[in-house]
Amino acid sequence: MSRVALVTGGSRGIGEAISKKLKADGYTVAATYAGNDEAAAKFTEETGIATYKWNVADYDASAEGLAKVEADLGPIEVVVANAGITRDAPFHRMSPEQWNEVIGTNLTGVFNTVHPVWNGMRERGFGRVVVISSINGQKGQFGQVNYAATKAGDLGIVKSLAQEGAAKGITANAVCPGYIGTEMVRAIPEKVLNEKIIPQIPAGRLGEPEEIARCVAFLVSDDAGFINGSTISANGAQFFV
Ligand code: CAA
């Protein structure tokens, strides 16, 4: 039987590419989304991948949603915590709402996604957790005190989960994408993207969502069983840890 993989934020952007790649690799995939019903319906129609709607920032909604996925598809053995938002602003103009929204989705959202399925993974002696962090959690970014804090925090989560899960056959790793050609990056003011960001990418281009999806597919595979607590950076040589 194929393994069940859950991808949060899995119907758009990098998450969409991850969902499609895992399906192509033989997983039964469930993709979650927060609000865009139209995009999710189109995604399901095109891919045949089931979509589920809940807010990852809400623990009870996450636990309830994850239980529904398991009732429909079977135990979740692979979790890709990908859902993320930006609320960029220079720190002197960043509001508490902008801080809290990003912390809720990008950081607490990872806890809320992994925690309800963790005991099942421990009991079954197998699990794969991948968190999509970011280059900006590694290096910081002008205008992203909130986002960089969450993405750095995500790395702390996987390093700790790796130590707790290793003896139970569970791995937890992170992927740190650089600037990838998704809606999130295309929302950056064009002048900032062209003058401040792209010139800092030695590859001279944005990454493709599929380039991140292939990293995830490797980390969740049986071949990657001894890779635990690691970070794969895929950023076109923009930054080295
Ligand atoms: N480094 C240095 N200075 C910068 C800068 C940078 N990266 N970005 C902006 N500035 C400067 C501008 O040049 C400008 O300076 P002057 O006033 O002297 O001209 C000043 O800061 C204000 O910039 P804006 O006119 O852009 O001001 P704003 O208030 O309209 O916007 C901002 C500020 C929201 C931070 C905007 O600059 C922005 O969106 N920057 C991009 C932030 C970014 O990289 N976000 C990543 C999103 S994608 C993502 O998060 C995915 C991922 O994981 C990689």
Side-chain angles (χ1 to χ4, degrees):
M1 246 191 34
S2 67
R3 288 189 173 135
V4 175
L6 178 99
V7 184
T8 63
S11 67
R12 292 195 298 139
I14 291 174
E16 175 178 3
I18 296 169
S19 297
K20 288 179 177 169
K21 171 67 178 156
L22 294 183
K23 184 179 182 209
D25 285 358
Y27 295 84
T28 301
V29 180
T32 81
Y33 70 102
N36 194 331
D37 294 313
E38 204 182 316
K42 186 162 171 274
F43 169 81
T44 298
E45 196 183 302
E46 282 171 10
T47 62
I49 295 171
T51 45
Y52 294 82
K53 183 178 183 176
W54 71 78
N55 176 3
V56 297
D58 179 333
Y59 186 87
D60 292 338
S62 298
E64 203 178 300
L66 290 160
K68 167 106 174 68
V69 172
E70 295 204 318
D72 290 350
L73 305 178
I76 295 170
E77 295 187 284
V78 174
V79 170
V80 184
N82 163 79
I85 58 169
T86 53
R87 296 289 181 266
D88 294 354
F91 188 58
H92 61 277
R93 274 197 269 118
M94 185 172 285
S95 67
E97 289 73 26
Q98 287 172 317
W99 171 263
N100 287 326
E101 279 178 40
V102 172
I103 297 288
T105 299
N106 301 10
L107 187 63
T108 308
V110 176
F111 176 87
N112 294 347
T113 301
V114 180
H115 189 260
V117 297
W118 186 251
N119 277 338
M121 289 180 172
R122 282 169 51 85
E123 281 156 20
R124 291 186 298 274
F126 179 86
R128 291 282 187 267
V129 175
V130 176
V131 180
I132 305 303
S133 174
S134 165
I135 185 176
N136 292 344
Q138 297 171 302
K139 71 168 187 58
Q141 170 60 39
F142 190 109
Q144 288 201 307
V145 165
N146 50 2
Y147 184 89
T150 63
K151 295 300 179 175
D154 288 340
L155 299 181
I157 292 176
V158 298
K159 288 173 191 168
S160 305
L161 284 180
Q163 294 176 49
E164 295 196 19
K168 299 284 184 189
I170 307 171
T171 68
N173 293 288
V175 178
C176 284
Y179 282 75
I180 309 299
T182 62
E183 262 176 61
M184 185 185 271
V185 166
R186 297 198 190 283
I188 299 171
E190 209 177 325
K191 196 167 176 317
V192 175
L193 188 62
N194 290 335
E195 290 176 15
K196 301 254 189 254
I197 293 173
I198 293 185
Q200 291 173 9
I201 308 173
R205 66 169 177 91
L206 298 177
E208 300 292 335
E210 292 74 20
E211 292 177 305
I212 304 307
R214 289 194 288 272
C215 298
V216 174
F218 171 61
L219 289 172
V220 304
S221 71
D222 287 346
D223 285 344
F226 204 54
I227 300 177
N228 207 350
S230 294
T231 299
I232 296 182
S233 298
N235 62 36
Q238 188 180 352
F239 184 74
F240 306 115
V241 183

